[in-house]
Amino acid sequence: MSTSRRPIYTNPSVSSQKCTFPAVEGLTKFHQSLSGYTPTPLTPLPSLATALGVRAVLVKDESNRLNLPSFKVLGASWGTYRAVAAFLSFPTTVALEEMAARAKERGVVLLAATKGNHGRAVASMARILGIEARIFVSESMDLATRGRISGEGADIVTVHGDYDQAVLEAWKVSQEIDGGLLIQDTALEGYEEVPAWIVEGYGTMMTEVETELAEMGLEATMMVTPVGVGSLANTVATFCKSRETPISVVAVEPDTAACLQASLLAGELTPIETSRTIMDGMDCGTVSTTAWPNLQRLVDASVTVSCYEAHRAAEYLASQSITAGPCGAASLAAVQRLAAEEGSCLNKDSVVVLLSTEGPREYPIPFDVSIDGAVELTSMLTKINSSNPTLSLADGAGENQICDYLAAWFAHRGMETHRIETLPGRPSIVGVLRGAGGGKSLMFNGHIDTVSLASYEKDPLSGTIDTRNGQEVVLGRGSLDMKGGLAAALAAVAAAKASCFPLSGDVIVAAVSDEEDASQGTQDLIAAGWRADAAVVPEPTSGVIAHAHKGFVWVEVSILGVAAHGSNHVEGVDAILHTGWFLRALEEYQQRLPVDDVLGPATLHCGLIQGGEEASSYPAKCTVTVEFRTVPGQTEESIVGDIRALLANIQKENPRFRFAEPKATLTRPAHKIDSDHPLISKVAECAAEAMGSHPPVQSVPFWCDAALLSEAGVPSVVFGPSGHGLHGKEEWVEVESLKKMQKTFTKLIRDFCA
């Protein structure tokens, strides 16, 4: 288990809090009138209680509530009933049949935004009443969930944005149509009555729990509730704190959508940005305004769990014949997290009620984000396909999945996370470990894309640990280039956080897209304003500290001829033949390229040539793409200017020689900092302690994103692990090298950011 993870929030003043849980007239009778009503089971798990060292653990199983796979229908049905009754000026004793007939006459339309189960429950009530329902969903909702909602007869409205945006859109539309009623468990300014009714509806579950416990001769001492917008948690908290002997309330949220915990820590309602989770119904960025005051006052502890923990909890419940989806299993994951904590509030007399809020459903099996070690992280990252779509022979997967994993990894540790995505489908992730202030900031910049998987000989996504040349290695595409280096940086940040070593400066981990092609990710990073006092790019340098590398400029030169039939030598001008004049001049020009004292000579080569259409015609154009590998002092403008002058000189010698304006199609700067730069000295000092000797400092032949960072004013070095098979048929990174990198980076963080 990760020792660097986000801590549990505990409320120091909750023990003195009491409240009243109002008995809602007609609520239980209303639910009992619905077809299929029966109390859901409260199932003891004695083996789990023994494992946790408590008296009893019981699961309130909401996998089949009124023929729907979630508790949500309790609140949605009561909220709908009260809202429609109020709209039609009916008393709350009106029969459903009479309400349905009048609602159809008045053209009532139910609207709701949803992550899944709430919208399906509202749609079910609309079907019972025989009226229209429009359910608003985010564009990221899967087709299966949409299908289950539309299967209740609702119209699906897709919103470009997240759940919170869907709520706002549903609210807006409800104000624009006659008979439109928003049935939403999220309270907004001016919209609080219906969410309050929905909260009331969950009271039936609390009544059932108390009755079922009494039948077993038990009284709850703790109740664990999932939190989305907080409606159920509000009901649970007020119920628990209204008992003669108050019951402890534990709230659980996804690591990646912990809006309640963020608000509790801030002391005020705090919206957050969320990232993807399999706990879909809990993926909410804002706590309901009506729930927040009670939750702030009454929740004893706030726990966040990972998707992987929720998945494993669902597997355990299934082994105990309790079917649950990840939202339902989150309560179990939370109590397991509590039990693992020193000084836990659990004891041998604890009677714990877990609210399992949904039945089983399909979801992608998540990866474990609790991993902290460089070797294990390299293995995990290698298993995630992040092949660059602009390079792959088949469609490349892109960086979405690996960004989701890294966002969850940072969130699991309570670290600040930012997603940068200027090109759809090409995201980068920035994680920040904040220092106390006043110190120097350090960035680790590592690319998360890989070259194509097509050329890999075996399983490119294995991530297995094996032996090559007598050494343990991690195998797979990208293990060396450069998921291993990035993993070492992540592991170092986790180690720094776990050690509670006081840092003054920030540590920034930029996991960037597209370095293998156009470096879109690092360009986006710089454009977004991210800077640091220094940066390390952990590309695979085999333990060499690289302080310099060449840049490059691609220049496209088109020599122009005159198209004509091959027999028409009078009018035809051969562009390909005239290109020979250019190539000879280019070869002479190459001898005059500058030489750098560290990087050596600048070079050029002709990478591409294209001309002609068929053998029987004079070619009208021949295009040559020349790659210049540049040293400091060379610029795109100077090189294009030289080529233009070279072409003009040929034209003076050969009047029939014509050309188009030469143009640079891609330019990347050279990178060079002094070998005795303080950053180089500090990295070398830290590496010597981890590795036993000072690593060499030299230039490298390849280009990388360090040049862009240095150009933006961030002094950068390239320093990473050893391995074999860059872009080859088999690729690996050495395990021992990863361990040394992790130690080096951990010390660098402590020394540089102290």
Side-chain angles (χ1 to χ4, degrees):
M1 178 177 290
S2 168
T3 57
S4 62
R5 72 178 297 175
R6 183 200 305 259
I8 294 170
Y9 170 88
T10 55
N11 186 345
S13 61
V14 73
S15 59
S16 62
Q17 302 295 328
K18 292 281 288 182
C19 66
T20 301
F21 188 72
V24 179
E25 184 179 355
L27 174 62
T28 301
K29 183 177 180 181
F30 165 74
H31 282 139
Q32 290 173 343
S33 73
L34 298 176
S35 175
Y37 172 80
T38 186
T40 55
L42 185 67
T43 305
L45 295 179
S47 58
L48 179 61
T50 300
L52 297 179
V54 299
R55 181 181 177 188
V57 177
L58 307 103
V59 178
K60 182 62 169 170
D61 180 3
E62 294 288 315
S63 60
N64 184 5
R65 171 66 79 174
L66 292 168
N67 299 314
L68 291 175
S70 165
F71 79 102
K72 288 280 190 178
V73 69
L74 287 174
S77 61
W78 181 247
T80 299
Y81 177 76
R82 290 295 305 272
V84 175
F87 180 76
L88 299 175
S89 301
F90 279 159
T92 55
T93 55
V94 64
L96 275 177
E97 294 78 6
E98 184 179 353
M99 176 183 283
R102 185 65 177 140
K104 281 186 281 188
E105 289 178 9
R106 290 287 304 274
V108 172
V109 179
L110 303 185
L111 303 100
T114 189
K115 295 294 292 183
N117 287 319
H118 173 73
R120 186 177 178 186
V122 172
S124 176
M125 278 301 295
R127 177 178 50 77
I128 290 170
L129 294 172
I131 59 179
E132 181 185 349
R134 299 182 195 175
I135 307 301
F136 293 71
V137 305
S138 71
E139 56 192 339
S140 62
M141 178 178 283
D142 62 275
L143 294 177
T145 303
R146 296 183 193 210
R148 286 188 285 271
I149 297 170
S150 61
E152 299 290 340
D155 293 326
I156 302 293
V157 181
T158 302
V159 174
H160 297 297
D162 59 10
Y163 168 79
D164 291 337
Q165 185 61 41
V167 171
L168 294 175
E169 189 65 23
W171 165 249
K172 176 185 174 185
V173 174
S174 72
Q175 303 302 297
E176 295 173 347
I177 62 175
D178 292 336
L181 297 180
L182 180 64
I183 311 298
Q184 199 63 49
D185 49 1
T186 303
L188 306 168
E189 186 175 349
Y191 178 77
E192 296 176 337
E193 195 170 36
V194 175
W197 290 332
I198 291 173
V199 169
E200 286 179 356
Y202 300 139
T204 294
M205 187 199 304
M206 297 296 97
T207 302
E208 291 175 1
V209 168
E210 193 162 58
T211 300
E212 290 163 323
L213 283 170
E215 290 171 354
M216 300 177 193
L218 296 171
E219 289 186 6
T221 63
M222 176 184 291
M223 197 171 294
V224 186
T225 176
V227 178
V229 297
S231 296
L232 174 63
N234 188 12
T235 300
V236 172
T238 52
F239 173 81
C240 288
K241 298 309 180 187
S242 69
R243 302 300 93 182
E244 186 175 345
T245 301
I247 302 167
S248 295
V249 179
V250 175
V252 57
E253 298 175 281
D255 287 330
T256 55
C259 59
L260 173 60
Q261 190 172 100
S263 298
L264 291 170
L265 289 168
E268 60 183 3
L269 198 58
T270 304
I272 63 167
E273 289 188 14
T274 69
S275 56
R276 189 160 300 181
T277 174
I278 60 171
M279 293 169 271
D280 290 347
M282 300 158 68
D283 183 9
C284 304
T286 309
V287 178
S288 173
T289 56
T290 53
W292 164 242
N294 285 334
L295 297 180
Q296 182 183 29
R297 193 167 56 91
L298 303 176
V299 165
D300 292 79
S302 167
V303 180
T304 73
V305 298
S306 69
C307 291
Y308 184 74
E309 289 171 316
H311 164 66
R312 292 301 303 272
E315 289 184 321
Y316 177 83
L317 290 175
S319 75
Q320 304 299 305
S321 302
I322 297 174
T323 56
C327 290
S331 296
L332 171 56
V335 79
Q336 290 172 324
R337 166 89 168 98
L338 278 172
E341 191 80 3
E342 285 188 25
S344 167
C345 51
L346 296 169
N347 58 54
K348 63 182 180 61
D349 297 319
S350 296
V351 175
V352 182
V353 175
L354 306 178
L355 301 183
S356 179
T357 54
E358 68 169 357
R361 55 181 170 81
E362 291 184 1
Y363 56 87
I365 304 303
F367 292 110
D368 186 2
V369 295
S370 70
I371 297 169
D372 275 347
V375 176
E376 296 78 10
L377 270 169
T378 300
S379 175
M380 183 64 72
L381 295 177
T382 303
K383 292 175 182 177
I384 302 173
N385 184 356
S386 57
S387 51
N388 193 312
T390 59
L391 298 177
S392 301
L393 295 177
D395 289 340
E399 297 88 358
N400 272 316
Q401 187 180 11
I402 198 167
C403 274
D404 288 342
Y405 176 83
L406 290 170
W409 191 91
F410 289 125
H412 189 64
R413 288 154 183 79
M415 290 174 60
E416 192 178 309
T417 307
H418 303 268
R419 188 182 183 101
I420 306 173
E421 189 170 1
T422 63
L423 290 181
R426 308 308 304 273
S428 300
I429 287 289
V430 180
V432 185
L433 178 61
R434 289 290 180 193
K440 292 185 292 185
S441 57
L442 178 65
M443 177 189 291
F444 292 95
N445 178 290
H447 69 84
I448 49 179
D449 62 318
T450 73
V451 295
S452 171
L453 308 185
S455 61
Y456 206 88
E457 198 167 67
K458 296 181 180 178
D459 179 6
L461 304 176
S462 70
T464 55
I465 298 175
D466 206 337
T467 303
R468 293 290 186 274
N469 302 330
Q471 298 186 76
E472 271 195 315
V473 300
V474 180
L475 292 167
R477 173 63 75 223
S479 57
L480 180 62
D481 185 19
M482 61 171 296
K483 293 177 179 180
L486 176 62
L490 291 167
V493 171
K497 188 174 189 300
S499 70
C500 299
F501 185 87
L503 300 177
S504 298
D506 300 336
V507 186
I508 302 164
V509 181
V512 296
S513 65
D514 194 43
E515 190 273 350
E516 294 289 3
D517 186 20
S519 292
Q520 185 68 45
T522 293
Q523 292 188 88
D524 288 345
L525 179 83
I526 292 167
W530 287 96
R531 300 291 188 274
D533 291 303
V536 176
V537 179
E539 289 273 12
T541 63
S542 297
V544 168
I545 298 177
H547 71 113
H549 63 68
K550 293 178 181 178
F552 63 89
V553 179
W554 293 353
V555 179
E556 188 176 275
V557 180
S558 292
I559 310 303
L560 305 178
V562 177
H565 191 276
S567 63
N568 188 357
H569 68 282
V570 175
E571 294 184 10
V573 178
D574 189 339
I576 295 176
L577 195 60
H578 277 184
T579 299
W581 287 65
F582 168 66
L583 296 177
R584 284 191 298 273
L586 191 66
E587 189 173 17
E588 293 176 5
Y589 171 74
Q590 180 176 294
Q591 307 306 313
R592 305 193 301 272
L593 291 174
V595 178
D596 183 79
D597 60 340
V598 172
L599 294 168
T603 62
L604 66 81
H605 70 276
C606 296
L608 295 170
I609 187 166
Q610 184 176 12
E613 296 180 2
E614 65 273 328
S616 62
S617 297
Y618 278 83
K621 185 168 72 170
C622 182
T623 300
V624 180
T625 300
V626 185
E627 181 184 69
F628 292 81
R629 288 285 167 162
T630 60
V631 298
Q634 287 181 293
T635 66
E636 174 185 315
E637 292 76 14
S638 69
I639 289 172
V640 171
D642 285 351
I643 295 299
R644 186 186 300 110
L646 184 150
L647 292 166
N649 287 335
I650 297 172
Q651 193 173 55
K652 290 177 183 177
E653 186 178 350
N654 179 0
R656 299 191 75 192
F657 182 88
R658 296 188 304 120
F659 59 90
E661 178 68 16
K663 59 182 179 181
T665 58
L666 184 62
T667 301
R668 293 291 180 265
H671 168 60
K672 184 181 178 183
I673 63 173
D674 292 339
S675 59
D676 59 353
H677 190 283
L679 174 61
I680 300 282
S681 302
K682 178 55 68 178
V683 173
E685 175 190 322
C686 295
E689 183 171 316
M691 300 178 177
S693 62
H694 278 78
V697 179
Q698 61 190 55
S699 64
V700 288
F702 58 80
W703 188 91
C704 72
D705 282 352
L708 296 176
L709 293 169
S710 289
E711 186 181 49
V714 182
S716 304
V717 298
V718 189
F719 182 53
S722 304
H724 172 81
L726 293 172
H727 300 196
K729 64 181 181 180
E730 185 177 56
E731 182 178 350
W732 71 75
V733 61
E734 295 171 7
V735 164
E736 188 59 30
S737 180
L738 289 172
K739 292 177 179 177
K740 289 178 178 178
M741 285 295 147
Q742 178 180 341
K743 290 180 181 178
T744 300
F745 293 160
T746 302
K747 179 167 174 52
L748 180 62
I749 289 170
R750 290 185 176 187
D751 288 2
F752 194 85
C753 302

